[in-house]
Amino acid sequence: QGQLPIEIFNLINLDSLIIAGTKLTGEIPPEIGNLTNLKRVNLSSNELTGEIPPEIGNLTNLKRVKLSFNELAGDIPPEIGNLTNLTELNLSSNELTGEIPAEIGNLINLEDLRLYSNQLTGEIPQEVCNLIESNFLYIDDILDGNNLINTCD
């Protein structure tokens, strides 16, 4: 319970940040971008609010990101496209708005992409369609519970 202690973001050698299902509140601070050795972030099933900080794009060693089942809002930051080692990106069941950034198409190692149950709008970018096809991702894990136009063949 409570907010993420800011001191966590001084632990620059941390390789996993897993605080799921603990009723965390507040925002994910931009200082998360300091933890460049992180391979796993799981802050799912909490009560986090605010936007996903663009500084998350600094964490190029990340393999798994789970921020699902929170109250995160705003756009998905295009900087997520920097995380080319990601195998899992789960942003489902939040209050994210706007369009899916085309930069998600850069995540060539993705095996699991979940964006369902947000308030995403617009067309699925062609770059993301290509990723869905080449990596055998499930389109319903993106479409369900959003107001997206499926432009993928």
Side-chain angles (χ1 to χ4, degrees):
Q1 242 174 339
Q3 298 192 353
L4 280 168
I6 201 73
E7 295 81 11
I8 285 179
F9 304 103
N10 295 328
L11 303 173
I12 57 170
N13 292 319
L14 198 66
D15 74 350
S16 294
L17 179 59
I18 301 171
I19 310 174
T22 59
K23 298 187 178 177
L24 274 179
T25 58
E27 300 187 4
I28 301 170
E31 288 82 2
I32 196 168
N34 298 341
L35 302 178
T36 54
N37 289 308
L38 279 180
K39 292 185 175 66
R40 294 174 47 189
V41 171
N42 184 348
L43 300 175
S44 62
S45 300
N46 282 299
E47 298 169 9
L48 296 170
T49 57
E51 299 189 0
I52 300 170
E55 290 81 1
I56 201 166
N58 297 346
L59 308 179
T60 54
N61 290 310
L62 276 176
K63 293 184 181 294
R64 300 175 71 185
V65 172
K66 289 183 176 183
L67 300 177
S68 56
F69 295 96
N70 279 290
E71 298 166 22
L72 297 169
D75 293 344
I76 298 172
E79 291 82 359
I80 279 187
N82 298 342
L83 309 179
T84 54
N85 290 310
L86 275 187
T87 59
E88 178 181 9
L89 177 60
N90 188 341
L91 305 178
S92 64
S93 297
N94 278 289
E95 298 169 13
L96 298 170
T97 56
E99 299 186 355
I100 297 173
E103 289 82 357
I104 285 182
N106 297 339
L107 306 179
I108 57 171
N109 293 302
L110 264 190
E111 298 167 2
D112 192 0
L113 175 61
R114 296 177 191 222
L115 303 177
Y116 63 82
S117 295
N118 279 289
Q119 298 165 25
L120 299 171
T121 57
E123 296 184 351
I124 298 176
Q126 188 58 51
E127 295 87 344
V128 176
C129 290
N130 295 345
L131 184 70
I132 290 167
E133 184 176 334
S134 64
N135 292 26
F136 305 103
L137 303 175
Y138 294 106
I139 187 88
D140 289 343
D141 285 343
I142 298 167
L143 290 172
D144 287 353
N146 286 302
N147 192 21
L148 292 164
I149 300 167
N150 183 359
T151 53
C152 303
D153 295 339

